[in-house]
Amino acid sequence: MVVKNVNFLTDLNKQIVHDDFTDNKSNQYQKNEGFIMTNQFQHIQVKPINGRIGAVIEGVQLSSELPQETVQEINQALLQYKTIFFRGQTHLDDDSQEAFAGRLGALLSHPTVPVKQGSKHILELDSSHGARADSWHTDISFLDAYPKASILRSVVAPEVGGDTVWANTTSAYAALPEPLKALADTLRAVHSNDFDYAAISKNVNKEALAKYRSFFNSTEYETEHPLVRVHPETGEKTLLLGHFFKQFVGFNSTDSRKLFDLFQSYVVKQENIVRWRWSAGDVAIWDNRATQHRAINDYGDQHRVVRRVTLEGDIPVGVDGRASETLRKEQKVDISDYRLTTEGQYEKVS
């Protein structure tokens, strides 16, 4: 099995050979052997932020009317840099954000949280309603086919604080010592949306938490994923962890937590992280199959509002060719007729 090592600072023009798979399942990835990391973009300006993750994209006004060549280069930059940023997209509203996102893939509404009133797929996170996603996670990883990407738009940004950080889970896997890689390749983990919110959010509003949890657990999911998934577009190996992780298959909860902490420590190393200081109108897009992220909860009572659209993903496949599988899906409340109002209340619309 051979993977050509890539130095993102010097080898960006060189082709990556992805032939690091086992058994006949590898055939489904052969189309990706021509995936090329490149710094040659003709329709967008790409300015890398760090050596391993993050780039600012300039010369683009995001809309559903972008030429296909520009959309393709945006996707190429996303695959290469994992998280990309667009400043000053103040012309976007909810409808145009959704319309642009539709150029990158099929839109996916959150399965357990009502969308913003007046939108089709927007998830709003408003700090005045207690919404602060301040622990490391991959979006909605309790689904088998969790989102491939997310598009986040800043609506109200605090004057100080409220940054978001992203971590590259592909470079995290690459940095593992060979014995840990060998172990990781064999592990499978259960992810669930039934977990202790108070334990991961230190400054939580108890009333807001109870209200949010009643909807977030409206359908309870448990899904078994490979710890190491093979990226369907690049063929890279990437670690799948985050706060929806519950337990490793075959391990008790104590040992699972120790293993989680070990692998997660490689994800959140400073070398793998990019941090973004928001201004209203900024847009971030991240490859949800190759990153984790968290909001920094350091802005006190200042107002912070962001709105997110996610794109449908595929079911992960591990290095052994085994796919993820849903273990449990138990619906308690049908949220399809509920919407999030401007007052932060979930109301039934029909």
Side-chain angles (χ1 to χ4, degrees), residues 121-156:
H121 301 281
I122 294 283
L123 176 71
E124 181 175 84
L125 298 173
D126 186 330
S127 63
S128 65
H129 305 148
R132 303 189 181 210
D134 57 349
S135 65
W136 286 106
H137 65 285
T138 292
D139 285 336
I140 324 181
S141 68
F142 51 83
L143 294 183
D144 54 0
Y146 62 90
K148 74 173 186 177
S150 294
I151 299 95
L152 189 70
R153 174 171 59 99
S154 174
V155 178
V156 178

Short mmCIF file of all heavy atoms in Angstrom, two decimals, residues 121-156:
data_model
loop_
_atom_site.label_atom_id
_atom_site.label_comp_id
_atom_site.label_asym_id
_atom_site.label_seq_id
_atom_site.Cartn_x
_atom_site.Cartn_y
_atom_site.Cartn_z
N HIS A 121 -33.97 25.56 4.89
CA HIS A 121 -32.94 24.69 5.46
C HIS A 121 -32.04 25.38 6.48
O HIS A 121 -31.13 24.74 7.01
CB HIS A 121 -32.05 24.14 4.34
CG HIS A 121 -32.79 23.36 3.30
ND1 HIS A 121 -33.18 22.06 3.48
CD2 HIS A 121 -33.23 23.72 2.05
CE1 HIS A 121 -33.82 21.62 2.39
NE2 HIS A 121 -33.85 22.61 1.52
N ILE A 122 -32.27 26.65 6.79
CA ILE A 122 -31.34 27.41 7.64
C ILE A 122 -31.44 26.96 9.11
O ILE A 122 -32.52 26.91 9.69
CB ILE A 122 -31.64 28.91 7.56
CG1 ILE A 122 -31.34 29.46 6.17
CG2 ILE A 122 -30.85 29.68 8.63
CD1 ILE A 122 -29.90 29.68 5.86
N LEU A 123 -30.28 26.66 9.69
CA LEU A 123 -30.16 26.47 11.14
C LEU A 123 -29.54 27.74 11.71
O LEU A 123 -28.43 28.11 11.35
CB LEU A 123 -29.27 25.27 11.45
CG LEU A 123 -29.00 25.01 12.93
CD1 LEU A 123 -30.26 24.51 13.63
CD2 LEU A 123 -27.86 24.02 13.12
N GLU A 124 -30.27 28.41 12.59
CA GLU A 124 -29.77 29.64 13.20
C GLU A 124 -29.24 29.37 14.59
O GLU A 124 -29.87 28.67 15.39
CB GLU A 124 -30.88 30.69 13.29
CG GLU A 124 -30.40 32.01 13.90
CD GLU A 124 -31.47 33.09 13.87
OE1 GLU A 124 -32.32 33.10 14.80
OE2 GLU A 124 -31.46 33.92 12.95
N LEU A 125 -28.06 29.91 14.88
CA LEU A 125 -27.46 29.86 16.20
C LEU A 125 -27.37 31.29 16.72
O LEU A 125 -26.54 32.07 16.25
CB LEU A 125 -26.08 29.20 16.14
CG LEU A 125 -26.06 27.75 15.67
CD1 LEU A 125 -24.63 27.26 15.48
CD2 LEU A 125 -26.81 26.85 16.65
N ASP A 126 -28.24 31.62 17.68
CA ASP A 126 -28.35 32.96 18.23
C ASP A 126 -27.98 32.90 19.71
O ASP A 126 -28.63 32.20 20.49
CB ASP A 126 -29.79 33.47 18.05
CG ASP A 126 -29.97 34.93 18.46
OD1 ASP A 126 -29.24 35.39 19.36
OD2 ASP A 126 -30.85 35.59 17.89
N SER A 127 -26.93 33.62 20.07
CA SER A 127 -26.43 33.54 21.45
C SER A 127 -27.46 34.02 22.47
O SER A 127 -27.46 33.56 23.61
CB SER A 127 -25.15 34.36 21.60
OG SER A 127 -25.40 35.75 21.33
N SER A 128 -28.36 34.92 22.06
CA SER A 128 -29.37 35.43 22.99
C SER A 128 -30.40 34.37 23.36
O SER A 128 -31.14 34.51 24.32
CB SER A 128 -30.07 36.66 22.40
OG SER A 128 -30.81 36.31 21.25
N HIS A 129 -30.43 33.29 22.55
CA HIS A 129 -31.33 32.17 22.84
C HIS A 129 -30.57 30.98 23.43
O HIS A 129 -31.12 29.88 23.51
CB HIS A 129 -32.06 31.74 21.57
CG HIS A 129 -32.80 32.85 20.90
ND1 HIS A 129 -32.97 32.93 19.54
CD2 HIS A 129 -33.38 33.97 21.42
CE1 HIS A 129 -33.64 34.03 19.23
NE2 HIS A 129 -33.90 34.67 20.35
N GLY A 130 -29.31 31.22 23.80
CA GLY A 130 -28.53 30.17 24.45
C GLY A 130 -27.77 29.25 23.52
O GLY A 130 -27.23 28.23 23.95
N ALA A 131 -27.71 29.59 22.23
CA ALA A 131 -27.07 28.70 21.25
C ALA A 131 -25.58 29.01 21.13
O ALA A 131 -25.20 30.02 20.54
CB ALA A 131 -27.76 28.84 19.88
N ARG A 132 -24.75 28.14 21.70
CA ARG A 132 -23.30 28.31 21.66
C ARG A 132 -22.66 26.93 21.50
O ARG A 132 -22.57 26.17 22.46
CB ARG A 132 -22.79 29.00 22.93
CG ARG A 132 -23.45 30.36 23.18
CD ARG A 132 -22.80 31.12 24.31
NE ARG A 132 -23.48 32.39 24.55
CZ ARG A 132 -22.88 33.48 25.02
NH1 ARG A 132 -21.59 33.47 25.31
NH2 ARG A 132 -23.57 34.60 25.21
N ALA A 133 -22.23 26.63 20.28
CA ALA A 133 -21.67 25.30 19.97
C ALA A 133 -20.19 25.28 20.31
O ALA A 133 -19.32 25.32 19.45
CB ALA A 133 -21.90 24.96 18.51
N ASP A 134 -19.89 25.21 21.64
CA ASP A 134 -18.53 25.47 22.10
C ASP A 134 -17.78 24.22 22.53
O ASP A 134 -17.04 24.23 23.51
CB ASP A 134 -18.54 26.51 23.23
CG ASP A 134 -19.41 26.09 24.41
OD1 ASP A 134 -20.17 25.11 24.27
OD2 ASP A 134 -19.33 26.74 25.47
N SER A 135 -17.95 23.14 21.81
CA SER A 135 -17.09 21.96 22.00
C SER A 135 -16.77 21.37 20.63
O SER A 135 -17.53 21.56 19.67
CB SER A 135 -17.78 20.92 22.89
OG SER A 135 -18.93 20.40 22.26
N TRP A 136 -15.66 20.67 20.55
CA TRP A 136 -15.19 20.13 19.27
C TRP A 136 -16.17 19.10 18.73
O TRP A 136 -16.55 18.16 19.43
CB TRP A 136 -13.83 19.48 19.43
CG TRP A 136 -12.70 20.44 19.59
CD1 TRP A 136 -12.00 20.73 20.73
CD2 TRP A 136 -12.11 21.25 18.55
NE1 TRP A 136 -11.03 21.66 20.47
CE2 TRP A 136 -11.06 21.99 19.14
CE3 TRP A 136 -12.37 21.40 17.18
CZ2 TRP A 136 -10.28 22.89 18.42
CZ3 TRP A 136 -11.58 22.29 16.46
CH2 TRP A 136 -10.56 23.01 17.07
N HIS A 137 -16.57 19.26 17.47
CA HIS A 137 -17.50 18.31 16.87
C HIS A 137 -17.42 18.34 15.35
O HIS A 137 -16.94 19.30 14.75
CB HIS A 137 -18.93 18.59 17.32
CG HIS A 137 -19.47 19.91 16.86
ND1 HIS A 137 -19.10 21.11 17.41
CD2 HIS A 137 -20.37 20.22 15.88
CE1 HIS A 137 -19.72 22.11 16.82
NE2 HIS A 137 -20.49 21.60 15.87
N THR A 138 -17.90 17.27 14.75
CA THR A 138 -18.19 17.19 13.33
C THR A 138 -19.70 17.24 13.20
O THR A 138 -20.41 16.52 13.92
CB THR A 138 -17.63 15.90 12.72
OG1 THR A 138 -16.19 15.96 12.73
CG2 THR A 138 -18.11 15.68 11.30
N ASP A 139 -20.22 18.08 12.33
CA ASP A 139 -21.67 18.31 12.29
C ASP A 139 -22.45 17.02 12.04
O ASP A 139 -22.19 16.28 11.09
CB ASP A 139 -22.02 19.32 11.18
CG ASP A 139 -21.67 20.75 11.57
OD1 ASP A 139 -21.60 21.03 12.78
OD2 ASP A 139 -21.47 21.58 10.66
N ILE A 140 -23.41 16.77 12.95
CA ILE A 140 -24.44 15.74 12.81
C ILE A 140 -23.83 14.36 12.55
O ILE A 140 -24.38 13.55 11.78
CB ILE A 140 -25.48 16.11 11.72
CG1 ILE A 140 -25.75 17.62 11.68
CG2 ILE A 140 -26.81 15.39 11.97
CD1 ILE A 140 -26.78 18.05 10.64
N SER A 141 -22.73 14.05 13.20
CA SER A 141 -22.07 12.76 12.93
C SER A 141 -22.82 11.58 13.51
O SER A 141 -22.40 10.43 13.32
CB SER A 141 -20.63 12.78 13.46
OG SER A 141 -20.60 12.82 14.88
N PHE A 142 -23.95 11.84 14.18
CA PHE A 142 -24.77 10.72 14.66
C PHE A 142 -25.63 10.13 13.54
O PHE A 142 -26.30 9.10 13.75
CB PHE A 142 -25.65 11.15 15.84
CG PHE A 142 -26.45 12.41 15.61
CD1 PHE A 142 -27.66 12.37 14.94
CD2 PHE A 142 -25.99 13.63 16.08
CE1 PHE A 142 -28.41 13.52 14.73
CE2 PHE A 142 -26.72 14.79 15.88
CZ PHE A 142 -27.93 14.74 15.20
N LEU A 143 -25.65 10.76 12.36
CA LEU A 143 -26.28 10.17 11.18
C LEU A 143 -25.29 9.25 10.48
O LEU A 143 -24.09 9.44 10.56
CB LEU A 143 -26.73 11.25 10.20
CG LEU A 143 -27.83 12.22 10.63
CD1 LEU A 143 -28.17 13.15 9.47
CD2 LEU A 143 -29.06 11.48 11.10
N ASP A 144 -25.82 8.25 9.74
CA ASP A 144 -24.90 7.43 8.95
C ASP A 144 -24.31 8.25 7.82
O ASP A 144 -23.09 8.35 7.67
CB ASP A 144 -25.59 6.15 8.45
CG ASP A 144 -26.88 6.40 7.68
OD1 ASP A 144 -27.28 7.57 7.51
OD2 ASP A 144 -27.49 5.41 7.24
N ALA A 145 -25.15 8.90 7.02
CA ALA A 145 -24.67 9.77 5.94
C ALA A 145 -24.69 11.22 6.45
O ALA A 145 -25.55 12.03 6.07
CB ALA A 145 -25.52 9.61 4.69
N TYR A 146 -23.75 11.56 7.32
CA TYR A 146 -23.72 12.91 7.88
C TYR A 146 -23.26 13.91 6.81
O TYR A 146 -22.74 13.51 5.76
CB TYR A 146 -22.85 12.96 9.13
CG TYR A 146 -21.40 12.63 8.94
CD1 TYR A 146 -20.46 13.61 8.64
CD2 TYR A 146 -20.94 11.32 9.09
CE1 TYR A 146 -19.13 13.31 8.47
CE2 TYR A 146 -19.60 11.01 8.93
CZ TYR A 146 -18.70 12.01 8.61
OH TYR A 146 -17.37 11.70 8.45
N PRO A 147 -23.45 15.21 7.02
CA PRO A 147 -23.21 16.20 5.96
C PRO A 147 -21.79 16.18 5.41
O PRO A 147 -20.82 15.97 6.15
CB PRO A 147 -23.50 17.54 6.64
CG PRO A 147 -24.42 17.20 7.76
CD PRO A 147 -23.99 15.84 8.23
N LYS A 148 -21.67 16.44 4.10
CA LYS A 148 -20.34 16.52 3.50
C LYS A 148 -19.71 17.89 3.73
O LYS A 148 -18.48 18.02 3.76
CB LYS A 148 -20.39 16.20 2.01
CG LYS A 148 -20.98 17.28 1.12
CD LYS A 148 -20.80 16.91 -0.35
CE LYS A 148 -21.24 18.03 -1.28
NZ LYS A 148 -21.00 17.67 -2.71
N ALA A 149 -20.53 18.92 3.87
CA ALA A 149 -19.99 20.27 4.05
C ALA A 149 -21.03 21.15 4.71
O ALA A 149 -22.24 20.87 4.66
CB ALA A 149 -19.56 20.88 2.71
N SER A 150 -20.56 22.24 5.32
CA SER A 150 -21.43 23.24 5.92
C SER A 150 -21.02 24.62 5.44
O SER A 150 -19.83 24.88 5.21
CB SER A 150 -21.38 23.18 7.45
OG SER A 150 -21.90 21.97 7.94
N ILE A 151 -22.02 25.50 5.29
CA ILE A 151 -21.81 26.88 4.85
C ILE A 151 -22.37 27.78 5.94
O ILE A 151 -23.58 27.80 6.17
CB ILE A 151 -22.49 27.17 3.50
CG1 ILE A 151 -21.92 26.26 2.40
CG2 ILE A 151 -22.31 28.63 3.12
CD1 ILE A 151 -22.73 25.00 2.17
N LEU A 152 -21.50 28.51 6.63
CA LEU A 152 -21.89 29.32 7.78
C LEU A 152 -21.71 30.80 7.47
O LEU A 152 -20.64 31.22 7.00
CB LEU A 152 -21.04 28.94 8.99
CG LEU A 152 -21.45 29.53 10.34
CD1 LEU A 152 -22.77 28.91 10.81
CD2 LEU A 152 -20.36 29.29 11.39
N ARG A 153 -22.75 31.59 7.75
CA ARG A 153 -22.74 33.03 7.46
C ARG A 153 -22.91 33.80 8.77
O ARG A 153 -23.80 33.51 9.56
CB ARG A 153 -23.86 33.38 6.49
CG ARG A 153 -24.05 34.87 6.22
CD ARG A 153 -25.04 35.09 5.08
NE ARG A 153 -26.35 34.51 5.36
CZ ARG A 153 -27.40 35.20 5.82
NH1 ARG A 153 -27.29 36.50 6.05
NH2 ARG A 153 -28.56 34.60 6.03
N SER A 154 -22.03 34.78 8.97
CA SER A 154 -22.14 35.63 10.15
C SER A 154 -23.15 36.74 9.90
O SER A 154 -23.04 37.49 8.92
CB SER A 154 -20.77 36.24 10.49
OG SER A 154 -20.90 37.17 11.55
N VAL A 155 -24.13 36.84 10.79
CA VAL A 155 -25.16 37.88 10.69
C VAL A 155 -24.89 39.00 11.70
O VAL A 155 -24.97 40.18 11.36
CB VAL A 155 -26.56 37.26 10.92
CG1 VAL A 155 -27.65 38.33 10.86
CG2 VAL A 155 -26.83 36.16 9.90
N VAL A 156 -24.59 38.61 12.93
CA VAL A 156 -24.21 39.57 13.97
C VAL A 156 -22.94 39.05 14.62
O VAL A 156 -22.91 37.91 15.12
CB VAL A 156 -25.31 39.73 15.04
CG1 VAL A 156 -24.86 40.70 16.12
CG2 VAL A 156 -26.62 40.20 14.41
#
